[in-house]
Amino acid sequence: MRPFIIALISGIMTIATVGAQEPVDAGNVSLPSERFALKTNLIYDALLMPSLEIEYMVNDKWSVALEGDLAWWKNDPKHKYYQIMYIQPEAKWWFRAKGPWHGMYAGFLAGGGKYDLENGKKGYKGEGFITGFSFGYMWPVSRNLSLEAALGIGYMYTRYKEYHPYDGHYLYDRTATTNYFGPVKAKFAFVWRFTGFKSNSRKGGVK
């Protein structure tokens, strides 16, 4: 799984590099504005799994994003664990955009991570992989702040060990796998857009 994730991130970064090589007018150079955005998924935050995502607008049609989610809570006296570590790259095509960071998009996502979930009676510890398509909409609410809603549909594969805690120990039960098709992501996010500064190059210097 790791080689696949590394290759996917490398491919997305290549798309970003090629897409960013736009023609430049030497007589009137304008620096790009609002190319980067920082997000947090309020749904995952409410589930005590803090979410952080950074997105880069390649051009008016494409953007790439990288999201990370982490929950590492535990309660040793009761043998309860809620631990999830997940990373997800995503490429988006803005097909009904009303402007930068405003409109509808379709995306391709893939990601993976590990988890350890235990309720005091039974535990599940393993790794998983997700891939699928996303559909979302983003709209601005102020100069730098936007809201985003999205849903991801796709496939999930996970392999895990079942265990149960007993007398301060963890007893292995079995190893199992799960294949799942359906919703794999839900998002309602705060989006902070980093507004850039524009400057023009003129003969005689900048006044």
Side-chain angles (χ1 to χ4, degrees):
M1 183 177 66
R2 291 181 180 175
F4 177 83
I5 295 297
I6 295 173
L8 180 62
I9 296 175
S10 177
I12 290 177
M13 294 306 297
T14 301
I15 293 174
T17 302
V18 173
Q21 294 175 355
E22 301 172 347
V24 178
D25 184 353
N28 186 11
V29 178
S30 180
L31 298 178
S33 178
E34 296 186 350
R35 286 291 183 117
F36 286 95
L38 192 64
K39 312 178 185 182
T40 184
N41 188 341
L42 299 180
I43 296 177
Y44 293 172
D45 294 341
L47 295 174
L48 301 181
M49 185 170 65
S51 165
L52 190 63
E53 177 182 352
I54 187 167
E55 185 168 351
Y56 174 70
M57 186 69 69
V58 179
N59 52 40
D60 60 348
K61 292 293 184 182
W62 290 94
S63 67
V64 290
L66 184 65
E67 176 185 348
D69 309 304
L70 179 66
W72 213 252
W73 315 116
K74 61 182 179 180
N75 191 338
D76 287 329
K78 297 181 180 180
H79 301 288
K80 293 183 178 180
Y81 290 84
Y82 176 49
Q83 299 180 345
I84 303 174
M85 182 171 59
Y86 176 75
I87 186 169
Q88 175 203 286
E90 184 174 5
K92 300 178 182 178
W93 173 50
W94 298 77
F95 62 95
R96 287 190 179 179
K98 300 180 179 180
W101 308 111
H102 186 191
M104 188 175 296
Y105 67 83
F108 171 75
L109 60 90
K114 58 177 61 179
Y115 58 89
D116 188 356
L117 306 174
E118 184 219 310
N119 60 9
K121 297 180 180 180
K122 199 170 188 65
Y124 305 87
K125 184 175 182 178
E127 298 182 347
F129 169 77
I130 291 174
T131 185
F133 297 94
S134 62
F135 302 90
Y137 190 86
M138 186 185 297
W139 65 97
V141 295
S142 68
R143 174 180 172 84
N144 294 96
L145 182 65
S146 293
L147 295 176
E148 179 184 3
L151 179 67
I153 305 293
Y155 164 74
M156 179 183 71
Y157 169 84
T158 179
R159 180 179 176 86
Y160 56 91
K161 295 180 179 179
E162 291 186 12
Y163 67 90
H164 65 271
Y166 177 77
D167 194 25
H169 301 282
Y170 301 94
L171 304 183
Y172 169 81
D173 292 331
R174 66 171 186 144
T175 298
T177 61
T178 295
N179 293 278
Y180 164 83
F181 292 90
V184 294
K185 179 178 182 178
K187 175 190 282 188
F188 185 75
F190 273 140
V191 183
W192 181 262
R193 309 185 312 273
F194 291 93
T195 303
F197 297 91
K198 293 183 177 180
S199 63
N200 294 321
S201 175
R202 300 183 180 89
K203 292 182 179 180
V206 179
K207 296 181 179 181

